[in-house]
Amino acid sequence: MSEILKQLSELVIAGKRAEVPDVVKKALEDNIDVDVIVKTMSDAMQVVGEKFNKGEYFITEMLLSAHAFKAGFEVLKPKLEEKAAKEFGKGEKLGRIVFGTVQNDIHDIGKNMVESALTAAGFEVYDLGIDVPLEKFIEEAEKVNADIIAACALLTTTMDQTKNLIELLKQKGLRDKYKVLIGGAPLSQEYADRIGADGYGEDAFDAVIVAKRLMGIEEGKKN
Amino acid sequence: MNSKEVVLEAFKLGVPERLPVTPWFGGGMWIVYNTNDSWEKWPESAEKMANTYISINEKVQSDIIFCGSGMNNFPVAALGGNLKYMGVSAPPDIAPPFMVKNEEDINQLYAKLESGALDEDRIVTAIRDATRLVVDRVGDEVLVCMTAFGPFTYSGQFMGIENLMMNLAENPELVHKLLEFSTKFHMEYYRPLIEDGVLKEQMVVITDPMAAPGLISKLNYQKFALPYQKKLVDHYHSEGSVIWLHMCNNWEPDNRYELLPETGAEFFLVDPKFNLGLAKREIGDKICLGGNVDQINVLNAGTPEDVAKNARKCIEQAAKGGGYVLSAGCDVPPTVPFENIQTLIKIGKSTKYKDDGEVILNE
């Protein structure tokens, strides 16, 4: 790995969001391929995930890294779009995910981290924000032709909205069209099984593993 | 021993006559939902709130009444925070957050607090007055408290949680200034009750969910949450109140539980994610423990038999030798069936202690 990419990786892991954009710009000036830069940052986020799983990192550190990743990604966005237009059909995303916090729940911190982790892993994420009505999840999924509907709830009082989402999909005859991924502090695998969700993500990085599994992608086999 | 006496004995790490029990931590949502009230109308009258707390407790028979439960954000709203009501089944929250960005913003919060914004607020006054009425009417029999968030969580409401989390690393000086404010804000919320001695030999609640493991590191808990929680505990102790402390999640990694007795609180409520038996073994001789009946999968979704099984497991893990309160592990969903609440209370009240601290579990 070149010195500049090594530096970029370290900055994302350390969550130095203010310093990342300049280093990304420098890497582009050095004619490093945009995909390589993205991969460097994604791999760095993977390290962040491992640190989180090991209990070395917490929300503070995860947020700083997620913001550092985002700041770098913003710099690359025009280049990535340019490249996508040129190489249409190549380098497709792993899948499309419509994502939001359920109605009457305004917690966004966890949702934002999961979104960053999913984007870093190569998913195309449509963020509906917080306090999202159930109908909106389905409307948006239909509109963008999503693969997965991901809903999070952070309150014991709003968690049943995830169950209602599944019921609504059934009522509309759309249950088999989408995989439903749920997450949030009061939820559990036990709860997900009970309501018939396709997957439960315990944290941001677990959500990536589960989303990949739902898309039939085995962990370890990178595209 | 009456309800209040059994709880206070357990808080002293003593052995009461029987097991102290409460079906919830808070229960505000359950009460509002089950009395067909709404969060918008609920705080209209202190008299109505107090009567409801008392009449519900006559039915439920909890050893503790939590006044103001579900209303921890109302004092934030009194300083100008935008309160968002989200139906009957979720407590009102602050949205969007205040977004304190600098010292000047904190100074403005001080100015509002010092100008009497809390005392002038209709709802804050109603919560305080309802607490006064409940203490006045049943406070000799039942332990009564007024609930509030802890300084770290209130700081999240003032700064925005995401900003607070990142500023722990990027601007710790500003976070400490805000935590100082939030500590003062907590004291100010309770001040009239403390000054009038209402909460003497009653309880103050410090629930600080944002300072829980999984959210911040042990080191950050030590730096940014523990000292301010301790400051509150010392303050209320000097006024004769006892302290119920709660933070969610699992305190086992990094042996973080070791820090809980350092707060000085009499009591810590153990979340269902934290091993109650381990907590009892490691810190049960330093702080009274409570919990950790699963409020979601058991109290809300289970049968009375499931509740009984979970409650007995908790008793086996933590009741021996006293210093334990049987309780839900966190605030309960509003849809918990009444028969499940009754089951928990019945088990608690029928579980007696021998003088040597052995438990006589009534099958």
Side-chain angles (χ1 to χ4, degrees), chain A residues 106-107 155, chain B residues 73 82-86 90-95 149 157:
Chain A
I106 55 169
H107 293 85
L155 297 168
Chain B
N73 280 315
N82 184 40
L83 205 58
K84 184 170 161 57
Y85 290 93
M86 298 179 290
D93 208 339
I94 299 296
F149 285 136
Q157 299 297 61

Side-chain angles (χ1 to χ4, degrees), chain A residues 147-191:
Chain A
D147 302 293
I148 296 173
I149 300 177
C152 64
L154 271 297
L155 297 168
T156 57
T157 50
T158 55
M159 58 191 271
D160 277 349
Q161 289 282 28
T162 57
K163 182 174 85 183
N164 299 340
L165 175 65
I166 290 170
E167 292 305 317
L168 190 62
L169 280 167
K170 280 185 194 162
Q171 273 172 33
K172 290 178 180 283
L174 295 169
R175 180 63 190 92
D176 296 336
K177 193 171 172 186
Y178 302 106
K179 300 286 183 192
V180 177
L181 172 61
I182 62 168
L187 306 187
S188 59
Q189 186 62 53
E190 188 185 345
Y191 180 81

Side-chain angles (χ1 to χ4, degrees), chain A residues 108-124:
Chain A
D108 63 355
I109 185 166
K111 178 187 67 62
N112 293 345
M113 283 193 301
V114 179
E115 188 201 336
S116 296
L118 288 168
T119 307
F123 283 94
E124 196 174 338

Side-chain angles (χ1 to χ4, degrees), chain B residues 265-287:
Chain B
E266 276 81 4
F267 175 90
F268 180 72
L269 180 68
V270 174
D271 186 279
K273 288 179 183 160
F274 180 22
N275 183 328
L276 182 61
L278 178 124
K280 179 75 175 183
R281 278 194 305 280
E282 298 294 337
I283 54 170
D285 60 338
K286 298 186 187 79
I287 187 167

